[in-house]
Amino acid sequence: MSYAIGIDIGGTKVAIGIVDGEGRVITRESLPTDLSISPEDMVSRIAEAIKRLMAANRLEQEHMLGIGIGAPGPLDPAGGRITCPPNLPNWRDFALVAELKKHLNLSIVMENDATAATLAEHWIGAAKGCANFVYVTISTGIGAGIFMNGKLLTGASGNAGDAGHIVIDPSQGTCVCGQKGCWEWVGSGTAIARKASEILGRPTSTQEAFASADQGHAELKKLIEQVFTYTGMGCVSLINTLDPQMIVIGGGVSQVGEPLFKAVRQYVSTLALNPTGRMTQIVPAALQQDVGLIGAAALVHVPYR
């Protein structure tokens, strides 16, 4: 049996795991993304975690096909560099692949994290067998991966799918990217927590905002309904542009479940431009919290270029 190491780098944590050729996660570990240390030191911690997992499972380097990394964009996959990620400011223009190779003598491939997750959902997830779909992740930020005509579309520089920076509502202020009213700025988990904190006058988590809305807090209920509408708007923009059969939605915010999916389906069925677009399937990600980790490993296991 051959295995791949998957590394999913996020703004708050790094998921690391060993995944077999059927997409099963054999073992995993999670590290906090420590922005108080250098990215070189963070990579050293990641490498140590990989070695721990291999040793604990009696696996040697010859059992590994390679390492796949899902990283936040913008990035330079061909050059193995993270270029200017908004949520990892001290990782700017960081040669991640070269740094990791100092610790592990394995082949390493890197793609945008949402692109990697898209490959996972096509491999063993909700979009298995679907030739045309978009994967949208709504979490700390919002990203997307595009799978069209049976293959991943990564764009000229590997950065296709930054759907979180589609402008949705310019009246809502300036996004971290500099544009006004991006989907990520108004509809991500970070956006929900920010707006809920303003409403309640104290720090409030995304989870608390959803819970308070469910319990009948009028302003928070209005906020959550608006976020659902923004999600529908973003999906319609993707449908009108790309004409997918399906949109798969994952990420922490998607865990609210049916209220989100019902609202988005209703919006899409009413306002997508083409009749076929109005029938686009809107489905939850099958892999949920493991999608990034499995997606990173899929970059090694699954031919996608």
Side-chain angles (χ1 to χ4, degrees):
M1 177 71 74
S2 295
Y3 303 91
I5 297 163
I7 303 172
D8 180 33
I9 298 175
T12 56
K13 69 180 178 68
V14 177
I16 304 152
I18 298 174
V19 179
D20 72 12
E22 302 298 319
R24 292 183 291 256
V25 181
I26 304 304
T27 185
R28 62 166 65 77
E29 184 171 333
S30 181
L31 302 174
T33 305
D34 190 344
L35 298 179
S36 70
I37 63 174
S38 71
E40 290 84 0
D41 287 342
M42 191 68 215
V43 167
S44 179
R45 291 183 184 181
I46 292 168
E48 288 168 5
I50 291 170
K51 292 172 183 176
R52 281 196 301 273
L53 292 176
M54 290 174 60
N57 289 272
R58 298 181 180 179
L59 294 171
E60 303 294 335
Q61 287 202 172
E62 56 262 32
H63 297 125
M64 301 296 155
L65 294 175
I67 299 172
I69 303 173
L75 43 71
D76 170 17
R81 307 182 76 86
I82 295 182
T83 55
C84 50
N87 295 320
L88 296 172
N90 61 334
W91 289 51
R92 190 177 185 91
D93 198 30
F94 175 55
L96 174 57
V97 168
E99 189 64 30
L100 186 57
K101 280 189 174 180
K102 293 178 182 178
H103 300 270
L104 294 158
N105 185 28
L106 288 166
S107 64
I108 304 173
V109 61
M110 179 176 72
E111 295 285 352
N112 179 277
D113 48 7
T115 298
T118 303
L119 190 60
E121 287 291 339
H122 183 262
W123 184 25
I124 60 169
K128 187 175 182 179
C130 183
N132 296 277
F133 76 98
V134 179
Y135 170 79
V136 177
T137 177
I138 308 175
S139 190
T140 304
I142 295 177
I146 305 165
F147 196 93
M148 288 285 136
N149 300 321
K151 62 182 181 180
L152 279 174
L153 296 186
T154 56
S157 65
N159 288 291
D162 267 333
H165 299 284
I166 294 171
V167 173
I168 297 287
D169 187 351
S171 71
Q172 293 300 307
T174 304
C175 177
V176 293
C177 77
Q179 289 201 108
K180 292 186 180 296
C182 291
W183 186 5
E184 181 170 298
W185 180 252
V186 299
S188 64
T190 303
I192 294 168
R194 185 186 72 250
K195 294 296 288 186
S197 299
E198 291 172 5
I199 290 168
L200 296 179
R202 58 176 174 80
T204 307
S205 69
T206 307
Q207 292 82 357
E208 183 183 354
F210 277 119
S212 296
D214 284 342
Q215 292 162 10
H217 190 289
E219 285 186 90
L220 290 179
K221 185 177 180 181
K222 183 178 179 182
L223 168 65
I224 298 304
E225 289 173 350
Q226 183 63 68
V227 167
F228 290 169
T229 298
Y230 287 144
T231 305
M233 294 169 71
C235 288
V236 163
S237 293
L238 292 170
I239 290 166
N240 290 347
T241 303
L242 297 168
D243 191 27
Q245 298 163 265
M246 176 188 295
I247 291 185
V248 179
I249 303 178
V253 171
S254 73
Q255 297 301 299
V256 70
E258 189 56 24
L260 169 66
F261 286 92
K262 181 179 178 181
V264 174
R265 289 176 187 132
Q266 182 174 355
Y267 192 97
V268 166
S269 67
T270 305
L271 292 168
L273 185 61
N274 295 317
T276 54
R278 294 175 208 139
M279 295 186 290
T280 304
Q281 297 177 65
I282 310 294
V283 303
L287 304 178
Q288 300 298 344
Q289 298 306 310
D290 277 337
V291 69
L293 178 57
I294 295 171
L299 298 172
V300 175
H301 280 303
V302 181
Y304 69 95
R305 291 187 183 277

